[in-house]
Amino acid sequence: MSGKPRLTYLNGRGRMEPVRWLLAAAGVEFEEVFLQTKEQYEKLIKDGLLLFQQVPLVEIDGMKMVQTRAILSYIAGKYNLYGKDLKERALIDMYVEGITDLMQMILMFPFSPPDAKEKNLDSIKERATNRYFPVFEKVLKQHGQDFLVGNKFSWADVQLIEAILAVEEKFPAVLSGFPQLQAFKTKMSNMPTIKKFLQPGSPRKPPPDDHYVETVLKVFKK
């Protein structure tokens, strides 16, 4: 095995995408293994590679890590993206948890029944514009710094730019009332590691389509 982290998941965003984002933002190259069949998934379980019988699976530093939050925390700590002390870490955790709540709605949207799609889409927009984005707009305005915590690039910044772009895919004008977030998006998108990740051909995955939904259901169905 090479020294690169090895990511095992489906060939789509899902719960692995924040891991790809964080590694890319830290300038870390990684390898990917894509699950396409139920048999591949069952073999991982049989071989004892999935502690809780769930992916994502990230092999890094001799560990076989599962549970998205644990994986992200480890990567953030390893690459100095997790604040300088416990207080900064607590802030980063709070912001990340809030963004994760919003991203969970986006994550589940492709699996919505057809008659619920419009309602769920409205819910995403409502939550983004009334609950989550105002928080970050206020934080950036109050401290007047480039980054969310400690005036230093952190995991929270990576999660936020991922969320902004994911919501914009569905609502292109969603930041129209958030000038601080517009400036933040421009700044983050031009950071060299993130700019590279946003280019065609990078490991960033496209928005989930019907084929991705079908693959998820095929691989994980009981």
Side-chain angles (χ1 to χ4, degrees):
M1 181 178 159
S2 74
K4 295 179 183 178
R6 182 180 167 103
L7 283 50
T8 301
Y9 198 71
L10 290 85
N11 189 8
R13 289 184 182 176
R15 298 188 188 281
M16 187 65 91
E17 194 69 357
V19 178
R20 298 182 186 109
W21 264 94
L22 194 56
L23 285 168
V28 179
E29 292 186 357
F30 52 86
E31 299 173 348
E32 296 200 73
V33 176
F34 298 126
L35 299 178
Q36 295 174 306
T37 66
K38 189 172 180 63
E39 289 70 31
Q40 286 175 294
Y41 171 56
E42 288 175 339
K43 187 177 188 307
L44 289 175
I45 296 173
K46 186 180 176 183
D47 291 347
L49 297 179
L50 303 180
L51 192 63
F52 300 109
Q53 301 184 18
Q54 294 173 314
V55 288
L57 166 66
V58 174
E59 298 170 75
I60 184 171
D61 295 343
M63 296 187 294
K64 293 176 173 59
M65 295 195 72
V66 294
Q67 298 298 326
T68 312
R69 172 71 201 217
I71 294 165
L72 289 165
S73 296
Y74 182 81
I75 293 167
K78 178 178 172 69
Y79 294 106
N80 200 24
L81 296 170
Y82 211 174
K84 71 177 188 298
D85 55 31
L86 275 175
K87 287 186 176 180
E88 287 194 358
R89 184 167 290 199
L91 275 176
I92 289 168
D93 283 340
M94 284 198 300
Y95 295 155
V96 163
E97 289 291 319
I99 299 163
T100 301
D101 289 344
L102 175 60
M103 290 301 289
Q104 178 67 13
M105 298 174 70
I106 295 171
L107 186 74
M108 296 309 298
F109 175 74
F111 302 93
S112 305
D115 59 350
K117 280 202 184 295
E118 191 172 337
K119 180 184 174 186
N120 291 346
L121 204 55
D122 288 343
S123 294
I124 291 169
K125 185 178 183 182
E126 192 276 328
R127 290 286 179 88
T129 54
N130 295 325
R131 181 180 296 190
Y132 296 106
F133 286 176
V135 169
F136 300 106
E137 179 76 8
K138 184 178 179 182
V139 167
L140 291 166
K141 186 172 184 179
Q142 281 183 337
H143 64 37
Q145 297 169 344
D146 290 344
F147 306 108
L148 288 171
V149 178
N151 204 23
K152 186 174 183 293
F153 185 51
S154 78
W155 174 19
D157 300 302
V158 181
Q159 291 269 116
L160 182 55
I161 183 62
E162 180 191 359
I164 286 171
L165 295 178
V167 176
E168 277 191 331
E169 284 173 350
K170 301 185 183 312
F171 308 102
V174 73
L175 291 187
S176 59
F178 301 102
Q180 300 291 331
L181 289 182
Q182 289 176 38
F184 175 86
K185 174 195 160 187
T186 300
K187 201 164 0 323
M188 290 298 110
S189 299
N190 283 303
M191 287 187 66
T193 55
I194 291 179
K195 188 172 185 178
K196 182 180 177 183
F197 189 61
L198 294 175
Q199 299 304 309
S202 85
R204 186 184 182 215
K205 302 298 179 267
D209 57 13
D210 290 342
H211 175 71
Y212 173 73
V213 171
E214 288 167 12
T215 306
V216 170
L217 297 175
K218 179 177 71 174
V219 172
F220 299 124
K221 70 181 178 183
K222 298 294 184 185

